[in-house]
mmCIF file of all heavy atoms in Angstrom:
data_model
loop_
_atom_site.group_PDB
_atom_site.id
_atom_site.type_symbol
_atom_site.label_atom_id
_atom_site.label_comp_id
_atom_site.label_asym_id
_atom_site.label_seq_id
_atom_site.Cartn_x
_atom_site.Cartn_y
_atom_site.Cartn_z
ATOM 1 N N MET A 870 18.798 -6.220 2.212
ATOM 2 C CA MET A 870 18.509 -5.174 1.231
ATOM 3 C C MET A 870 19.484 -5.229 0.059
ATOM 4 O O MET A 870 19.107 -4.969 -1.085
ATOM 5 C CB MET A 870 18.526 -3.804 1.902
ATOM 6 C CG MET A 870 17.480 -3.642 3.006
ATOM 7 S SD MET A 870 15.779 -3.802 2.437
ATOM 8 C CE MET A 870 15.432 -2.091 2.024
ATOM 9 N N GLU A 871 20.725 -5.599 0.329
ATOM 10 C CA GLU A 871 21.711 -5.752 -0.742
ATOM 11 C C GLU A 871 21.297 -6.881 -1.690
ATOM 12 O O GLU A 871 21.405 -6.759 -2.907
ATOM 13 C CB GLU A 871 23.092 -6.029 -0.145
ATOM 14 C CG GLU A 871 24.185 -6.127 -1.180
ATOM 15 C CD GLU A 871 25.555 -6.350 -0.562
ATOM 16 O OE1 GLU A 871 25.711 -6.173 0.664
ATOM 17 O OE2 GLU A 871 26.472 -6.700 -1.319
ATOM 18 N N GLU A 872 20.812 -7.971 -1.138
ATOM 19 C CA GLU A 872 20.361 -9.088 -1.971
ATOM 20 C C GLU A 872 19.147 -8.688 -2.809
ATOM 21 O O GLU A 872 19.038 -9.062 -3.980
ATOM 22 C CB GLU A 872 20.033 -10.307 -1.101
ATOM 23 C CG GLU A 872 19.655 -11.541 -1.884
ATOM 24 C CD GLU A 872 20.748 -12.042 -2.820
ATOM 25 O OE1 GLU A 872 21.942 -11.845 -2.534
ATOM 26 O OE2 GLU A 872 20.392 -12.650 -3.864
ATOM 27 N N LEU A 873 18.243 -7.945 -2.228
ATOM 28 C CA LEU A 873 17.088 -7.460 -2.992
ATOM 29 C C LEU A 873 17.554 -6.591 -4.168
ATOM 30 O O LEU A 873 17.050 -6.732 -5.284
ATOM 31 C CB LEU A 873 16.132 -6.662 -2.106
ATOM 32 C CG LEU A 873 15.357 -7.445 -1.052
ATOM 33 C CD1 LEU A 873 14.527 -6.503 -0.194
ATOM 34 C CD2 LEU A 873 14.472 -8.502 -1.692
ATOM 35 N N ARG A 874 18.510 -5.701 -3.929
ATOM 36 C CA ARG A 874 19.045 -4.857 -5.013
ATOM 37 C C ARG A 874 19.683 -5.718 -6.094
ATOM 38 O O ARG A 874 19.477 -5.486 -7.276
ATOM 39 C CB ARG A 874 20.077 -3.853 -4.472
ATOM 40 C CG ARG A 874 19.482 -2.656 -3.809
ATOM 41 C CD ARG A 874 20.513 -1.572 -3.541
ATOM 42 N NE ARG A 874 21.695 -2.026 -2.829
ATOM 43 C CZ ARG A 874 21.794 -2.169 -1.505
ATOM 44 N NH1 ARG A 874 20.759 -1.883 -0.747
ATOM 45 N NH2 ARG A 874 22.912 -2.569 -0.958
ATOM 46 N N ALA A 875 20.462 -6.722 -5.682
ATOM 47 C CA ALA A 875 21.144 -7.588 -6.645
ATOM 48 C C ALA A 875 20.143 -8.313 -7.532
ATOM 49 O O ALA A 875 20.406 -8.544 -8.716
ATOM 50 C CB ALA A 875 22.040 -8.587 -5.906
ATOM 51 N N GLN A 876 19.006 -8.665 -6.963
ATOM 52 C CA GLN A 876 17.972 -9.375 -7.725
ATOM 53 C C GLN A 876 16.955 -8.427 -8.357
ATOM 54 O O GLN A 876 15.969 -8.888 -8.941
ATOM 55 C CB GLN A 876 17.265 -10.383 -6.822
ATOM 56 C CG GLN A 876 18.167 -11.499 -6.372
ATOM 57 C CD GLN A 876 17.405 -12.599 -5.674
ATOM 58 O OE1 GLN A 876 16.246 -12.870 -5.984
ATOM 59 N NE2 GLN A 876 18.048 -13.252 -4.719
ATOM 60 N N LYS A 877 17.180 -7.125 -8.213
ATOM 61 C CA LYS A 877 16.255 -6.108 -8.734
ATOM 62 C C LYS A 877 14.836 -6.345 -8.234
ATOM 63 O O LYS A 877 13.858 -6.262 -8.979
ATOM 64 C CB LYS A 877 16.287 -6.058 -10.265
ATOM 65 C CG LYS A 877 17.622 -5.669 -10.820
ATOM 66 C CD LYS A 877 17.591 -5.597 -12.325
ATOM 67 C CE LYS A 877 18.951 -5.199 -12.862
ATOM 68 N NZ LYS A 877 18.982 -5.181 -14.312
ATOM 69 N N MET A 878 14.740 -6.672 -6.954
ATOM 70 C CA MET A 878 13.452 -6.998 -6.352
ATOM 71 C C MET A 878 13.013 -5.870 -5.421
ATOM 72 O O MET A 878 13.755 -5.472 -4.529
ATOM 73 C CB MET A 878 13.559 -8.298 -5.552
ATOM 74 C CG MET A 878 12.247 -8.776 -4.994
ATOM 75 S SD MET A 878 12.412 -10.363 -4.135
ATOM 76 C CE MET A 878 12.774 -11.439 -5.516
ATOM 77 N N PRO A 879 11.818 -5.345 -5.625
ATOM 78 C CA PRO A 879 11.307 -4.312 -4.713
ATOM 79 C C PRO A 879 10.926 -4.921 -3.371
ATOM 80 O O PRO A 879 10.739 -6.137 -3.255
ATOM 81 C CB PRO A 879 10.070 -3.788 -5.443
ATOM 82 C CG PRO A 879 9.633 -4.920 -6.298
ATOM 83 C CD PRO A 879 10.881 -5.672 -6.684
ATOM 84 N N VAL A 880 10.806 -4.077 -2.372
ATOM 85 C CA VAL A 880 10.349 -4.518 -1.061
ATOM 86 C C VAL A 880 9.189 -3.616 -0.646
ATOM 87 O O VAL A 880 9.250 -2.397 -0.799
ATOM 88 C CB VAL A 880 11.489 -4.512 -0.010
ATOM 89 C CG1 VAL A 880 12.079 -3.129 0.178
ATOM 90 C CG2 VAL A 880 11.023 -5.099 1.317
ATOM 91 N N ALA A 881 8.123 -4.239 -0.168
ATOM 92 C CA ALA A 881 6.944 -3.491 0.265
ATOM 93 C C ALA A 881 6.864 -3.511 1.784
ATOM 94 O O ALA A 881 7.113 -4.543 2.410
ATOM 95 C CB ALA A 881 5.678 -4.098 -0.340
ATOM 96 N N PHE A 882 6.518 -2.359 2.344
ATOM 97 C CA PHE A 882 6.372 -2.246 3.791
ATOM 98 C C PHE A 882 4.922 -1.980 4.137
ATOM 99 O O PHE A 882 4.318 -1.028 3.671
ATOM 100 C CB PHE A 882 7.272 -1.133 4.352
ATOM 101 C CG PHE A 882 8.714 -1.521 4.333
ATOM 102 C CD1 PHE A 882 9.521 -1.173 3.269
ATOM 103 C CD2 PHE A 882 9.257 -2.281 5.365
ATOM 104 C CE1 PHE A 882 10.850 -1.551 3.233
ATOM 105 C CE2 PHE A 882 10.587 -2.663 5.335
ATOM 106 C CZ PHE A 882 11.386 -2.296 4.266
ATOM 107 N N HIS A 883 4.403 -2.861 4.962
ATOM 108 C CA HIS A 883 3.035 -2.780 5.451
ATOM 109 C C HIS A 883 3.116 -2.119 6.817
ATOM 110 O O HIS A 883 3.054 -2.772 7.851
ATOM 111 C CB HIS A 883 2.453 -4.188 5.531
ATOM 112 C CG HIS A 883 0.981 -4.221 5.701
ATOM 113 N ND1 HIS A 883 0.378 -4.169 6.935
ATOM 114 C CD2 HIS A 883 -0.007 -4.295 4.796
ATOM 115 C CE1 HIS A 883 -0.927 -4.227 6.771
ATOM 116 N NE2 HIS A 883 -1.195 -4.299 5.498
ATOM 117 N N SER A 884 3.307 -0.808 6.795
ATOM 118 C CA SER A 884 3.555 -0.063 8.020
ATOM 119 C C SER A 884 2.588 1.105 8.124
ATOM 120 O O SER A 884 2.484 1.912 7.203
ATOM 121 C CB SER A 884 4.996 0.468 7.995
ATOM 122 O OG SER A 884 5.228 1.364 9.048
ATOM 123 N N ASP A 885 1.900 1.172 9.236
ATOM 124 C CA ASP A 885 1.029 2.323 9.467
ATOM 125 C C ASP A 885 1.864 3.587 9.568
ATOM 126 O O ASP A 885 3.009 3.558 10.029
ATOM 127 C CB ASP A 885 0.235 2.146 10.760
ATOM 128 C CG ASP A 885 -0.846 1.091 10.668
ATOM 129 O OD1 ASP A 885 -1.089 0.588 9.546
ATOM 130 O OD2 ASP A 885 -1.440 0.765 11.707
ATOM 131 N N LEU A 886 1.282 4.690 9.170
ATOM 132 C CA LEU A 886 1.910 5.990 9.349
ATOM 133 C C LEU A 886 1.825 6.410 10.816
ATOM 134 O O LEU A 886 2.760 6.978 11.374
ATOM 135 C CB LEU A 886 1.219 7.040 8.463
ATOM 136 C CG LEU A 886 1.660 8.483 8.590
ATOM 137 C CD1 LEU A 886 3.153 8.627 8.305
ATOM 138 C CD2 LEU A 886 0.859 9.358 7.637
ATOM 139 N N GLY A 887 0.713 6.113 11.435
ATOM 140 C CA GLY A 887 0.483 6.471 12.838
ATOM 141 C C GLY A 887 -0.945 6.133 13.204
ATOM 142 O O GLY A 887 -1.522 5.185 12.678
ATOM 143 N N ASN A 888 -1.507 6.934 14.090
ATOM 144 C CA ASN A 888 -2.898 6.752 14.485
ATOM 145 C C ASN A 888 -3.497 8.133 14.724
ATOM 146 O O ASN A 888 -2.804 9.137 14.601
ATOM 147 C CB ASN A 888 -3.002 5.848 15.720
ATOM 148 C CG ASN A 888 -2.154 6.353 16.866
ATOM 149 O OD1 ASN A 888 -2.223 7.526 17.246
ATOM 150 N ND2 ASN A 888 -1.335 5.479 17.428
ATOM 151 N N ASP A 889 -4.763 8.201 15.054
ATOM 152 C CA ASP A 889 -5.411 9.504 15.210
ATOM 153 C C ASP A 889 -4.755 10.335 16.311
ATOM 154 O O ASP A 889 -4.680 11.559 16.208
ATOM 155 C CB ASP A 889 -6.901 9.341 15.487
ATOM 156 C CG ASP A 889 -7.678 8.997 14.221
ATOM 157 O OD1 ASP A 889 -7.193 9.319 13.123
ATOM 158 O OD2 ASP A 889 -8.769 8.418 14.336
ATOM 159 N N ALA A 890 -4.259 9.702 17.354
ATOM 160 C CA ALA A 890 -3.622 10.432 18.446
ATOM 161 C C ALA A 890 -2.221 10.912 18.069
ATOM 162 O O ALA A 890 -1.803 11.995 18.473
ATOM 163 C CB ALA A 890 -3.551 9.557 19.697
ATOM 164 N N GLU A 891 -1.504 10.103 17.282
ATOM 165 C CA GLU A 891 -0.141 10.432 16.845
ATOM 166 C C GLU A 891 -0.022 10.116 15.349
ATOM 167 O O GLU A 891 0.462 9.060 14.972
ATOM 168 C CB GLU A 891 0.893 9.618 17.620
ATOM 169 C CG GLU A 891 0.911 9.860 19.112
ATOM 170 C CD GLU A 891 1.900 8.938 19.804
ATOM 171 O OE1 GLU A 891 3.102 9.246 19.787
ATOM 172 O OE2 GLU A 891 1.451 7.902 20.335
ATOM 173 N N PRO A 892 -0.465 11.038 14.486
ATOM 174 C CA PRO A 892 -0.552 10.752 13.055
ATOM 175 C C PRO A 892 0.757 10.338 12.381
ATOM 176 O O PRO A 892 0.744 9.557 11.445
ATOM 177 C CB PRO A 892 -1.073 12.062 12.458
ATOM 178 C CG PRO A 892 -1.749 12.753 13.582
ATOM 179 C CD PRO A 892 -1.013 12.356 14.810
ATOM 180 N N PHE A 893 1.898 10.838 12.853
ATOM 181 C CA PHE A 893 3.183 10.521 12.218
ATOM 182 C C PHE A 893 4.065 9.652 13.110
ATOM 183 O O PHE A 893 5.288 9.653 12.975
ATOM 184 C CB PHE A 893 3.913 11.811 11.841
ATOM 185 C CG PHE A 893 3.204 12.605 10.778
ATOM 186 C CD1 PHE A 893 2.585 13.809 11.092
ATOM 187 C CD2 PHE A 893 3.137 12.149 9.471
ATOM 188 C CE1 PHE A 893 1.924 14.539 10.113
ATOM 189 C CE2 PHE A 893 2.478 12.869 8.491
ATOM 190 C CZ PHE A 893 1.873 14.063 8.809
ATOM 191 N N LYS A 894 3.461 8.892 13.979
ATOM 192 C CA LYS A 894 4.198 8.102 14.969
ATOM 193 C C LYS A 894 5.263 7.207 14.337
ATOM 194 O O LYS A 894 6.361 7.074 14.880
ATOM 195 C CB LYS A 894 3.212 7.253 15.774
ATOM 196 C CG LYS A 894 3.861 6.421 16.859
ATOM 197 C CD LYS A 894 2.833 5.685 17.680
ATOM 198 C CE LYS A 894 3.494 4.919 18.814
ATOM 199 N NZ LYS A 894 2.496 4.267 19.676
ATOM 200 N N TYR A 895 4.967 6.578 13.203
ATOM 201 C CA TYR A 895 5.906 5.616 12.617
ATOM 202 C C TYR A 895 6.656 6.168 11.403
ATOM 203 O O TYR A 895 7.420 5.445 10.768
ATOM 204 C CB TYR A 895 5.169 4.328 12.247
ATOM 205 C CG TYR A 895 4.467 3.713 13.434
ATOM 206 C CD1 TYR A 895 3.089 3.610 13.476
ATOM 207 C CD2 TYR A 895 5.193 3.276 14.536
ATOM 208 C CE1 TYR A 895 2.442 3.069 14.582
ATOM 209 C CE2 TYR A 895 4.558 2.733 15.654
ATOM 210 C CZ TYR A 895 3.184 2.631 15.655
ATOM 211 O OH TYR A 895 2.553 2.101 16.752
ATOM 212 N N LEU A 896 6.475 7.436 11.102
ATOM 213 C CA LEU A 896 7.189 8.034 9.968
ATOM 214 C C LEU A 896 8.707 7.958 10.124
ATOM 215 O O LEU A 896 9.402 7.715 9.131
ATOM 216 C CB LEU A 896 6.727 9.472 9.752
ATOM 217 C CG LEU A 896 7.334 10.192 8.551
ATOM 218 C CD1 LEU A 896 7.048 9.452 7.249
ATOM 219 C CD2 LEU A 896 6.813 11.626 8.482
ATOM 220 N N PRO A 897 9.261 8.116 11.309
ATOM 221 C CA PRO A 897 10.718 8.001 11.427
ATOM 222 C C PRO A 897 11.265 6.652 10.937
ATOM 223 O O PRO A 897 12.363 6.595 10.379
ATOM 224 C CB PRO A 897 10.986 8.200 12.921
ATOM 225 C CG PRO A 897 9.838 9.046 13.391
ATOM 226 C CD PRO A 897 8.656 8.559 12.577
ATOM 227 N N GLN A 898 10.502 5.581 11.118
ATOM 228 C CA GLN A 898 10.960 4.286 10.631
ATOM 229 C C GLN A 898 11.041 4.282 9.105
ATOM 230 O O GLN A 898 12.030 3.824 8.523
ATOM 231 C CB GLN A 898 10.033 3.150 11.125
ATOM 232 C CG GLN A 898 10.266 2.758 12.551
ATOM 233 C CD GLN A 898 9.624 3.698 13.562
ATOM 234 O OE1 GLN A 898 8.961 4.680 13.223
ATOM 235 N NE2 GLN A 898 9.825 3.411 14.829
ATOM 236 N N MET A 899 10.015 4.793 8.440
ATOM 237 C CA MET A 899 10.029 4.813 6.981
ATOM 238 C C MET A 899 11.128 5.743 6.477
ATOM 239 O O MET A 899 11.827 5.411 5.511
ATOM 240 C CB MET A 899 8.668 5.226 6.426
ATOM 241 C CG MET A 899 8.565 5.119 4.919
ATOM 242 S SD MET A 899 8.967 3.478 4.224
ATOM 243 C CE MET A 899 7.597 2.527 4.836
ATOM 244 N N ASP A 900 11.306 6.879 7.107
ATOM 245 C CA ASP A 900 12.377 7.788 6.696
ATOM 246 C C ASP A 900 13.740 7.133 6.845
ATOM 247 O O ASP A 900 14.609 7.290 5.980
ATOM 248 C CB ASP A 900 12.315 9.089 7.501
ATOM 249 C CG ASP A 900 11.207 10.016 7.026
ATOM 250 O OD1 ASP A 900 10.719 9.854 5.886
ATOM 251 O OD2 ASP A 900 10.826 10.918 7.800
#
Side-chain angles (χ1 to χ4, degrees):
M870 299 298 270
E871 183 178 346
E872 184 61 29
L873 291 176
R874 281 191 308 277
Q876 294 189 32
K877 297 182 180 177
M878 185 177 292
V880 60
F882 288 94
H883 194 273
S884 171
D885 289 352
L886 175 58
N888 54 51
D889 283 336
E891 298 176 81
F893 294 109
K894 182 176 183 176
Y895 303 115
L896 183 58
Q898 282 79 1
M899 186 55 68
D900 283 341

